[in-house]
Amino acid sequence: AQSRNVLGYYVNVQRVPNKCRHLPKRIVLKNQEILLNLSMAYYTINISAYNQAGESPQTTYIVPDFYTTDLPGQINVRHEGTKTVVTWTPEYSPKCFVVDWGTSKEDMHMKIIPATTGSFILDNIEPYKLNKIMVHGSDACHCESFARYERTFGVARFYSIEGVPRIGPTNVTILNITKHTAVVQWTEIGAEDCLGFLQGYKISYIIDSASTKSPAVTVNSSTTCYNLTGLKERTIYRVQVSGFTSAGEGPWTLSKPFRTPKYGIVEALCSCAAWHQS
């Protein structure tokens, strides 16, 4: 019923982070729709309605992350001691570049640098945390103009220092056990526990009656199940899984026991690479 008395809407588009002391100019609309051409920087949009009596409380909309590989440039990140050096080669000539970096929307930092600069040095970046860096070209180098003129040049993610995963994968289960095969399945290690770019997993087992551990097999980081083949019937096995980054291997999971039967054949329910015991 109140919408019949609405005269229009106020829209504030605010960039995050925003070092400007003043708020951007509000947009006045009569309709309930607006088309914004924004960069890949973080933005919040505040919307309120107004009538002859005044202005309503604001509704805040946070523009979600979106991903694209169709960007005009490539960002390169390398490490030099305690410093992180970010370089890029512009494919067009804006008046300036705007660099955003941080671990999350709430932790983003911003710096405006000249267009002639093709590099940027970050110092004192906390190790073992995934950072996101965005480089935008802009033909207007004042904060209030970014929403109109800013264009994302490239996006990259990096660690200043990589570590090994702090835990192994969770929910390790053994499925579809037959006298010669079994399927090992697990839940991927969360990004907050990887402490680096996860490169893959290692799977190994021992026979319960022996102390010799099998050679570990390696699978890529997108794989979360694996077929064990060539097992012995009526034998107890104990399986362990670990994850690894470029810095090394994380801890193994607690051993998961299972026993192969003397009879029976079960079809595998998931499609995994096969590991044959030699």
Side-chain angles (χ1 to χ4, degrees):
Q2 294 182 9
S3 65
R4 292 196 297 267
N5 300 318
V6 170
L7 299 177
Y9 300 90
Y10 295 130
V11 178
N12 286 322
V13 181
Q14 187 165 356
R15 190 186 191 281
V16 181
N18 186 357
K19 289 188 174 181
C20 299
R21 296 181 181 274
H22 59 276
L23 292 175
K25 294 181 181 179
R26 61 170 47 177
I27 302 169
V28 182
L29 299 174
K30 296 297 182 182
N31 300 320
Q32 295 173 288
E33 183 178 275
I34 182 172
L35 176 63
L36 298 171
N37 186 13
L38 302 176
S39 71
M40 292 178 68
Y42 292 108
Y43 283 89
T44 58
I45 301 174
N46 298 311
I47 305 170
S48 60
Y50 68 91
N51 59 18
Q52 291 179 346
E55 183 179 349
S56 73
Q58 290 185 336
T59 294
T60 299
Y61 174 75
I62 299 174
V63 178
D65 280 348
F66 62 95
Y67 302 93
T68 178
T69 57
D70 187 22
L71 292 174
Q74 180 71 35
I75 299 177
N76 299 302
V77 180
R78 71 178 189 274
H79 307 294
E80 294 183 358
T82 60
K83 301 183 187 304
T84 301
V85 180
V86 183
T87 59
W88 61 89
T89 303
E91 296 193 7
Y92 59 96
S93 299
K95 291 183 178 179
C96 63
F97 285 105
V98 185
V99 182
D100 295 325
W101 73 95
T103 57
S104 65
K105 176 180 177 292
E106 294 74 24
D107 181 48
M108 295 301 288
H109 309 273
M110 181 185 82
K111 187 174 180 65
I112 303 170
I113 61 176
T116 54
T117 303
S119 65
F120 185 62
I121 296 177
L122 299 172
D123 202 359
N124 299 319
I125 301 295
E126 189 173 354
Y128 315 132
K129 286 197 172 182
L130 181 61
N131 286 267
K132 180 179 182 180
I133 186 165
M134 297 178 280
V135 177
H136 319 278
S138 181
D139 289 329
C141 300
H142 302 285
C143 295
E144 69 272 13
S145 302
F146 286 156
R148 294 176 57 193
Y149 297 103
E150 191 176 60
R151 176 185 174 191
T152 300
F153 173 78
V155 178
R157 287 170 173 78
F158 70 94
Y159 289 87
S160 63
I161 299 176
E162 288 195 59
V164 302
R166 74 173 102 221
I167 62 171
T170 56
N171 301 322
V172 177
T173 54
I174 313 298
L175 306 171
N176 311 328
I177 303 169
T178 74
K179 62 180 181 178
H180 297 305
T181 64
V183 174
V184 184
Q185 195 171 63
W186 62 89
T187 300
E188 64 183 10
I189 301 174
E192 67 280 2
D193 293 315
C194 287
L195 308 184
F197 290 112
L198 188 67
Q199 295 188 347
Y201 297 97
K202 293 184 178 181
I203 307 102
S204 185
Y205 68 78
I206 61 172
I207 298 176
D208 197 47
S209 59
S211 58
T212 304
K213 200 172 188 179
S214 67
V217 66
T218 300
V219 297
N220 63 42
S221 59
S222 63
T223 300
T224 56
C225 72
Y226 200 82
N227 287 340
L228 302 177
T229 63
L231 304 178
K232 297 178 180 179
E233 63 185 44
R234 300 180 66 182
T235 302
I236 298 175
Y237 291 89
R238 296 184 180 273
V239 177
Q240 291 180 292
V241 187
S242 69
F244 65 93
T245 66
S246 64
E249 185 180 328
W252 290 93
T253 59
L254 295 175
S255 61
K256 187 74 175 180
F258 70 95
R259 180 186 176 92
T260 55
K262 184 176 180 179
Y263 304 104
I265 298 176
V266 181
E267 293 294 330
L269 298 179
C270 61
S271 177
C272 303
W275 178 20
H276 181 76
Q277 181 188 15
S278 59

